[in-house]
Amino acid sequence: MALLRRPPLMLILVVTSQFLQLWIAFGSVNEEGQRQEEFYEELLLKPLPDRKVLTHFHFQSSAPPTSNGRHHHLFPKAISQLVQKFRVKEMELSFTQGRWNYESWGGFDSIPSSNAKPPGVELWAVFDVPQHLIDSLWKNLTHTLSGLFCASINFLESSTAYSAPEWSFPPASGNLRYGTLPREAVCTENLTPWLKLLPCRDKAGISMLLDRPSIYRGFYHSQRLHLTSTESGSEGMDPGIILEQTLTVVLQPNSQRASLAHASEKHFQPSWSLSSIFGKQVSGKCVLAETSNVYLLLDRGLVAELKQLHKENEKSAEKVLISENFWTNPCFELSAKPDMIFIEESSLLSKNSSVLYKFEVEKYSEFEPFDLGLTWKIPVVWLCQQAPLHASRFLMGSGNERGAIAISLKSTQLSEGFMGANSDYERCELRVDVFQVVPWYVKVYFHSLQVFVDQQPKAVSDIIEKIHVSPSKDKVSPGVMELVLKLPCSVSSAALTIEFDKGFLHIDEYPPDANQGFDIPSAIVSFPNFHASMVFLGNDSLNKSPLLSKFKEKSRVMSYTEVLLVPLTTPDFSMPYNVITITCTVFALYFGSLLNALRRRVAEEERFLKDKAAKKTGRLPLLLSKLSAKLRGRCLEPTHSAPASLSFINSQLVLKVILVAGLAVRVKVRIEMYADQVEGAGKRSVKERLNGNSFHNSIPRRQTTGKRQRQDEKWEHDLYHDDVPQVSNRTTDARDLRLKLQRKSLQQVSQSGRGALSGVRDLREKLSGTMNPWPVNADPPKLKSDVTKPTRRSVAVETSEPEPQKAATTAAKKKAQQKADASVEGFLQSLGLEKYAITFQVEEVDMTALVHMTDDDLKALGIPMGPRKKIILALESRG
Amino acid sequence: MAETREKSHKPKPRVRPIVRLGIFLVSHSFLVSVVCCTSGVLALFLLPVLAKNTYISENALMPGSASPMLSNQHVLDGNRLVKDLTNSNLKSSETGIESHKIIAQYMLDLGAEVSFHKFHPQMNQFHPLHFFSSPDSGKIQENYSCSSYGINTVGVIRAPRGDGKEAIVLVTPYNALKSGFGEALSLGIAYSVFSLLTQVTWLAKDIIWLVADSQFGEYAAVSAWLREYQTPKFSSLSTLNSEMCPDINNLFEIKVHSVAGSKFSNSFRRAGTMAAALVLKVRDQGEQFEDTISIYAEASNGQMPNLDLINVVNYLAVHRQGLRVNVEKLRSLLNSSWLKSLGEIFESLAKVAKTLNPKCKFGIPATEYVEGTATLASSLYYQALGVPTGPHGAFRDYQVDAITLEISPKFSLDKVWRNDILLRGGRLIEGVIRSVNNLLEKFHQSFFLYLLTSPSKFVSVGVYMIAFALLIAPLPMVAASLYVDANSSSNFLKGDSSTPSAVTDAAEHGITIRSWKWLNSAKLVFIVHLWGAIVSLLPYFICQIPDCSPTTSFVIWVLLSILSLLILNSVLASPLACVKASQEKEWALVKSVTISSVFIGLGLMSVINFATAEIGALVMVPMCLLAQPLKLDVRAGTLRSCCRIICNLVLGHIAFPPAAFFLLKGMLDGFGSANVGDFWMWVESLWAWNSATYLFIGMVQLPCWVLCVSILFHSC
């Protein structure tokens, strides 16, 4: 039933929402007591002195405080949720690529002081909650924004990445958190979600101009999102929110004239139009927008320069500027007629005033698109208004150990305007706020702060009025320095230096591109005494424009310094590998010798006792005396003894070398063999050997090997022979059984009971057979020590190194002989018929079977007459 | 079997194999040292054979992957600058101000940020304790006249979309007062590249073009600029000083009538951390068969730039621009017949090896071997000298990778060829800058410790260490064997004289005394080394004496050195004399301690400057090993001792630093021009460049020589 009922409901919803939208679109006309959601779109264009054009998009949506739930019609829901959830009072997020050129693009206007941002991402937010809750809210906010804007803002979550400025950051309050990511790359991925917050997206209105390739080809672009939530008047009402989205792009128009590159033409400013710089035109406004305007701003310097030019050319300069047809003046030409011209209210600070042309997009449509163009007729050169001091920051020193950060402030020599205002020139002071965050791995020594004014060192207390420092904590928080400088007005240059040590990071704290170096985020230098504001004279329509009211606001002049790159010591990341290799080698050597010592202890002690009995001298003197005797002999009769000793040594040496070489060859052969093995087989062999060893260790007192072995074999044979009673035994003592199996496979001897073994056993044998084909090869390590002990004892207590080995090898051979007699191969070997061994092996004939084989059986195996007779004879003689 | 049974009656304690090996080596130290030394020298000569081909290790560099954008338009621009500069040179050559203005104007027209940097050429002074310290901002001297200013012109292009954290530096030395045509041409090349780079969109790093005023030397100008860049002085009087000079103030009256956003300012312009630096020079006269480009890479104390930088230049020059790349080589070695025959031997050996195993191919043709050896020798020599081979050395002091490129054109630089050189040189520089621009991280992938045997072949540290290690390996063994020898011989004597009953008592007593005997010799060695330190400090005081010709300074130095030796000897007692009575084998102990001190010295030096240690080891190791009192040899009178006497005498002469210097100089330039003062000049240049070689000679080689000579003339 519910399913059936839903479609009509949906339909109703859709219809009402449609209606609502329509209603809202024209809703601004309705005066309903309560303010409506509003959206404004504006674009400001401004020619820059260095042949570039500044375009500044300004979109503003506002949601009034409402009590009717969380329904918004224009305002982006994501933002309002964000504000409600994280109790954000004010927030600003900016994505920037490129550097704002303070020198040529100006540093005093409200556009640079509020829209020039450091490269990468900058985020600050003021929260409306008690102190202890802020950090957790900040962390959640970063994650939300990170998801919203497809950027790694979530890296600001870590407490090492953000700071809490106390008072030097403009919207100063204790509830502020500030963080930057200087290395964040900005791309269309970030712009698209930003555009989605606009009601018309980039489908209609001014935002249609936002052509991605031309924006990202620009010299600077900064996409900013600023929101303020206004206090709600009464309880239960959601706060009103003003969302301000700006995009500041500096573009270079590629005019045809520049390409001609005539010497005279070079001095012309390039002419441009909206279509030439964006490749698009505006076809009407966004229908949801209250107003949709385009402004052209000629700044103070340019206007002054134009006036100057007019004075040269004509007499009635003043008139022309303000006159209505200024847009077709002799200096430049506009392609569209401005709807209104505003002239800035001349302020105290400067005599010149800027001129603003207003174009209303409303009047244009798809058939008659709006395309503003500016064509210069004469070459003009002007300068933008600068901040009182130009700040730059750089690193000093070299090497991986320490360095210094220097912030240098240079007067821009535009002081007459600013300083003239102050009557008392001598005593006037220029206040400069500096806010600097340094990551913890740059360990700043705040005591080393030095101040130079006009190239003279000054006492810190003379210049710095107020300082707040929160030193960095390793891996916890960055260092923050906030300063208020009081500089004399006549200052021409000032510098601050502060030294730092470069810290060491833990290996997992290095980023993947560690060798690039680490960033120190921009310092913020602001001038609280100076306010960037432009007040335009005109009618009330100006008040409706959010952009112009923004200009009216008195914001303090701010500038960001460069991001610095500090090369830190980076470890060689192949180092761990080397260290592992070296430690393994050392361990192998150490444990090798240790194990050796442990194994030989009993014998050593015995020998030691005997030595003691024989002679009571210590070891070292003995060694020394022997050595000295040797040397003495050589020294006294160098001509006679040296060759003798040499030859003696040589024979011994040669023997040793041969032995070592032989061992090496064998080891190499074995390694190659192992390399050829399948993995499983390889594993098995190791296990085998281990088992073999453990078995050997478990019976240390075995003296006469042959006999004992045979006993074992017999027992084993019994065990295998009568299968049925031994089942229980196998289960109860599996380990024991396995040991036996191991041993058996090791020895490869099948004297009697082989035939009765199960198929599994045979398979195993085959597998292991490839590994240890000959018992002679497999056994020596085990047999050697067994046999050497008796030989050593019999021959001498002291034997030189090759001796026991030789004995061992001979003994091993003998042993092999003994054992070989018990196997088919050995048997055949003794008859000189080794070549038939393979035939027997193929037929899985072992000694037990061989005994029962008749002449016919042998014939069936394909053994010729002679050998057959020999075998039968031998078997008979064995009985 | 028989032997062991024979021995078995005298049981000997089992010693750990490593100790046994040590004892074995010590007891056969003569054989070991002969084998090691010869194999060490042989390994050194094998290095050209073992050299590997270079390869570009850092993937991000991607040299030559983009087609060059430098067009004829840029070349014409460059040509215009060259013409203007040469004209202005004819016009007014009184001061170089005019040409600086022209350069600055050209830079401004491109839209770059321009500034002038005034500097005083700082004389390199000997600071006894400044050897390994990082460069400081230097002291400002008060009384400079206006004429002693140098002016660097600096242009900076900001990367359009870059964040300005890193920069690439392009340096062209230029002497405004008497510039050759080559210098102007190098400016032309740099300008054409610069004009291209103002237009490109791919720049990620800022570009700094430094026109270094080379009237006080190329190095001085570059290092002054770097000092200002890296360690500026905020409180200085120099700028106040400079304002009094009218000439220099003239400079700042450049009319900024360009609209291109060019900025000219009095202040010092900076960009970010320097990623790499290229110094570009063009040689005036062309006498080569081909257009060649020479790479100079050695910086102070044998530091080298990352091999990748050289590889990129080499790759682009050879494979893209068709230039022949040249690395400095010792010309005198090229024609030596013994090297050629050595090369042939190696070649034939390689052939034999190839027939045995077709997989191994290590042989190189004999001619290539000779060239490789000559290059290797010069590489070793310049690294050992510790004096940078060009202005790039100044960058290395600040851990910036830098090389000097010197283009020497085929023909004299008339019109047509000039454009060709401008185009090819410009494209080469463009390619290198583009590669470095691609770099995300600083240079770290490739080698820093290497020797070049040709522009495209190198020997890495892992290989060339072997030769050195083999050379110095016998030193500790011989020292140990001599020590044991000296001890045991005295023991033997004592053991003979005393009665068996008192053996143990006397032996114990003897051991305690003997084990401290070496302290006497150590004292002697220490005194001589102390003297070495004093001798190497003396020049600091001698150079304070005004108006002193090199010859007189040298004579004073020698006299003072001898005097100080005598004084030290008398004050700290004469150890040789007092010990002589008691010990016959004293010289062996002295030799043992000397050898161990030499071993330590060489080992330390190999860390600081490998090439110095290698060359030092070639001379000092045989000298130390062979040193034996002449009296003994004369008494013996055998053929062997005769040989030893001759060797000792020859080595004793060669190893004396001044003698070695004159010998080398004579070999290179002919003996006619040798002058006593030259050595002083050479030493002066060494300490002026803070070369650790100077310390090595003063504190390791000279004391070692003195000790060896004292052993030679030991009266025993």
Side-chain angles (χ1 to χ4, degrees), chain A residues 654-696:
Chain A
V654 165
L655 204 75
K656 280 180 188 172
V657 164
I658 289 169
L659 232 147
V660 168
L663 275 173
V665 165
R666 234 184 71 186
V667 164
K668 204 190 165 204
V669 166
R670 295 211 65 170
I671 285 166
E672 275 169 10
M673 264 173 57
Y674 279 123
D676 289 338
Q677 299 307 323
V678 285
E679 203 183 298
K683 255 185 208 162
R684 175 141 167 63
S685 85
V686 172
K687 193 173 152 199
E688 247 171 39
R689 270 204 264 159
L690 280 174
N691 283 341
N693 275 348
S694 70
F695 176 75
H696 166 64

Side-chain angles (χ1 to χ4, degrees), chain B residues 524 569 573-581 586 590 710 714:
Chain B
L524 172 70
N569 216 14
S574 155
L576 275 176
C578 77
V579 172
K580 192 173 64 185
E586 179 62 26
V590 171
S710 79
H714 194 270

Side-chain angles (χ1 to χ4, degrees), chain B residues 107-346:
Chain B
M107 285 182 186
L108 280 173
D109 286 345
L110 290 177
E113 295 177 15
V114 182
S115 67
F116 289 113
H117 169 236
K118 308 176 293 290
F119 67 96
H120 306 292
Q122 217 166 28
M123 294 322 289
N124 274 313
Q125 292 242 319
F126 177 69
H127 301 291
L129 297 174
H130 269 208
F131 269 96
F132 305 112
S133 63
S134 58
D136 59 352
S137 49
K139 62 176 178 202
I140 304 296
Q141 291 186 9
E142 299 301 314
N143 43 1
Y144 272 117
S145 64
C146 285
S147 60
S148 67
Y149 274 104
I151 299 159
N152 290 332
T153 314
V154 185
V156 183
I157 303 174
R158 306 284 174 192
R161 283 183 288 282
D163 44 12
K165 289 189 288 198
E166 285 172 289
I168 303 169
V169 187
L170 182 63
V171 183
T172 47
Y174 179 68
N175 188 349
L177 293 182
K178 47 172 198 329
S179 75
F181 190 70
E183 277 187 337
L185 197 61
S186 73
L187 282 181
I189 295 176
Y191 179 75
S192 57
V193 176
F194 205 62
S195 67
L196 168 75
L197 293 177
T198 48
Q199 294 160 12
V200 295
T201 50
W202 44 257
L203 269 190
K205 297 178 167 70
D206 295 351
I207 307 289
I208 304 174
W209 177 20
L210 170 67
V211 180
D213 191 351
S214 61
Q215 55 177 318
F216 305 107
E218 293 161 359
Y219 186 92
V222 176
S223 74
W225 178 76
L226 274 170
R227 205 181 303 124
E228 181 67 27
Y229 193 99
Q230 300 276 10
T231 53
K233 275 243 148 144
F234 293 106
S235 60
S236 67
L237 304 164
S238 63
T239 44
L240 294 177
N241 252 343
S242 75
E243 253 113 61
M244 287 182 269
C245 301
D247 284 6
I248 284 152
N249 288 340
N250 265 347
L251 264 184
F252 302 109
E253 289 160 11
I254 286 186
K255 259 206 279 170
V256 184
H257 57 67
S258 142
V259 217
S262 49
K263 283 138 285 183
F264 174 78
S265 70
N266 196 351
S267 60
F268 191 83
R269 290 275 171 187
R270 280 193 176 76
T273 313
M274 285 180 242
L278 293 173
V279 183
L280 181 70
K281 291 200 269 187
V282 177
R283 199 181 282 164
D284 272 328
Q285 72 280 24
E287 66 232 66
Q288 310 285 332
F289 302 109
E290 272 179 284
D291 294 334
T292 54
I293 180 161
S294 315
I295 298 177
Y296 299 91
E298 287 87 0
S300 59
N301 280 327
Q303 297 179 82
M304 298 292 276
N306 198 294
L307 187 56
D308 265 346
L309 190 59
I310 294 176
N311 290 346
V312 168
V313 172
N314 181 42
Y315 178 85
L316 287 172
V318 173
H319 298 287
R320 290 290 181 272
Q321 303 309 324
L323 294 162
R324 204 166 68 88
V325 177
N326 198 12
V327 188
E328 193 78 342
K329 52 183 93 163
L330 284 186
R331 306 259 160 221
S332 55
L333 280 179
L334 283 178
N335 301 322
S336 61
S337 52
W338 63 275
L339 256 186
K340 215 168 276 175
S341 51
L342 194 64
E344 275 156 12
I345 290 170
F346 282 134

Side-chain angles (χ1 to χ4, degrees), chain A residues 445-708:
Chain A
Y445 295 117
F446 290 101
H447 74 273
S448 64
L449 184 72
Q450 280 182 299
V451 186
F452 300 89
V453 175
D454 291 330
Q455 299 182 329
Q456 299 300 320
K458 289 274 159 99
V460 172
S461 52
D462 289 352
I463 299 299
I464 292 176
E465 195 186 56
K466 196 170 161 193
I467 182 167
H468 172 249
V469 160
S470 63
S472 61
K473 283 189 207 118
D474 278 8
K475 293 162 202 192
V476 174
S477 66
V480 181
M481 182 174 72
E482 295 170 83
L483 294 174
V484 173
L485 306 180
K486 284 269 184 196
L487 297 172
C489 285
S490 57
V491 66
S492 72
S493 73
L496 294 170
T497 62
I498 189 159
E499 287 167 26
F500 63 82
D501 261 4
K502 298 179 179 178
F504 286 104
L505 273 73
H506 192 260
I507 188 115
D508 56 7
E509 282 162 343
Y510 284 98
D513 51 354
N515 279 295
Q516 191 182 354
F518 290 81
D519 291 323
I520 299 182
S522 296
I524 301 171
V525 178
S526 57
F527 307 93
N529 294 352
F530 295 93
H531 297 285
S533 69
M534 280 192 278
V535 182
F536 288 97
L537 298 166
N539 55 13
D540 286 346
S541 70
L542 276 174
N543 296 336
K544 278 181 110 183
S545 158
L547 179 65
L548 297 186
S549 53
K550 198 87 201 156
F551 281 172
K552 240 185 232 177
E553 271 174 30
K554 282 199 161 194
S555 60
R556 65 158 86 174
V557 174
M558 259 170 66
S559 60
Y560 287 84
T561 62
E562 300 91 337
V563 176
L564 294 180
L565 189 70
V566 189
L568 287 190
T569 40
T570 37
D572 180 1
F573 288 102
S574 64
M575 204 59 183
Y577 169 74
N578 296 339
V579 169
I580 287 168
T581 316
I582 289 171
T583 21
C584 284
T585 316
V586 169
F587 267 71
L589 282 175
Y590 175 69
F591 281 112
S593 54
L594 189 76
L595 281 176
N596 211 8
L598 284 174
R599 270 185 67 199
R600 295 205 177 164
R601 171 156 295 172
V602 183
E604 288 276 336
E605 253 168 359
E606 275 176 7
R607 210 180 305 123
F608 184 67
L609 281 172
K610 265 189 188 172
D611 282 357
K612 230 178 179 180
K615 208 176 180 184
K616 277 184 178 171
T617 48
R619 268 180 114 184
L620 196 69
L622 195 75
L623 174 78
L624 271 175
S625 68
K626 258 180 74 183
L627 189 72
S628 64
K630 212 175 190 180
L631 290 168
R632 201 187 310 145
R634 203 162 65 94
C635 285
L636 283 180
E637 311 117 36
T639 43
H640 302 288
S641 71
S645 69
L646 213 70
S647 68
F648 162 69
I649 286 303
N650 275 357
S651 65
Q652 215 174 357
L653 191 75
V654 165
L655 204 75
K656 280 180 188 172
V657 164
I658 289 169
L659 232 147
V660 168
L663 275 173
V665 165
R666 234 184 71 186
V667 164
K668 204 190 165 204
V669 166
R670 295 211 65 170
I671 285 166
E672 275 169 10
M673 264 173 57
Y674 279 123
D676 289 338
Q677 299 307 323
V678 285
E679 203 183 298
K683 255 185 208 162
R684 175 141 167 63
S685 85
V686 172
K687 193 173 152 199
E688 247 171 39
R689 270 204 264 159
L690 280 174
N691 283 341
N693 275 348
S694 70
F695 176 75
H696 166 64
N697 288 343
S698 65
I699 314 169
R701 64 209 144 64
R702 190 169 53 161
Q703 298 293 329
T704 50
T705 47
K707 195 179 159 197
R708 175 73 195 210

Side-chain angles (χ1 to χ4, degrees), chain B residues 53-64:
Chain B
N53 281 326
T54 54
Y55 55 92
I56 285 152
S57 184
E58 172 71 85
N59 286 329
L61 284 170
M62 295 192 293

Side-chain angles (χ1 to χ4, degrees), chain A residues 188-289:
Chain A
T188 47
E189 290 279 306
N190 309 123
L191 184 65
T192 310
W194 184 83
L195 281 175
K196 280 188 177 169
L197 299 178
L198 301 176
C200 292
R201 309 275 158 92
D202 55 346
K203 303 294 181 228
I206 288 169
S207 54
M208 269 182 79
L209 285 173
L210 290 172
D211 174 45
R212 311 295 159 81
S214 44
I215 289 173
Y216 288 97
R217 209 186 296 130
F219 282 68
Y220 171 87
H221 75 85
S222 171
Q223 144 200 346
R224 194 174 69 106
L225 180 135
H226 182 265
L227 64 88
T228 32
S229 69
T230 53
E231 262 330 297
S232 55
S234 56
E235 283 293 308
M237 295 240 305
D238 288 327
I241 309 164
I242 296 171
L243 171 69
E244 195 183 299
Q245 285 171 271
T246 62
L247 178 72
T248 313
V249 188
V250 176
L251 291 162
Q252 177 136 44
N254 40 352
S255 64
Q256 297 87 346
R257 257 202 264 174
S259 62
L260 285 173
H262 286 298
S264 58
E265 298 284 282
K266 253 188 176 175
H267 306 306
F268 270 98
Q269 287 282 342
S271 300
W272 49 267
S273 66
L274 281 182
S275 56
S276 79
I277 55 175
F278 285 113
K280 286 185 177 175
Q281 294 167 327
V282 185
S283 55
K285 66 176 234 176
C286 167
V287 286
L288 299 175

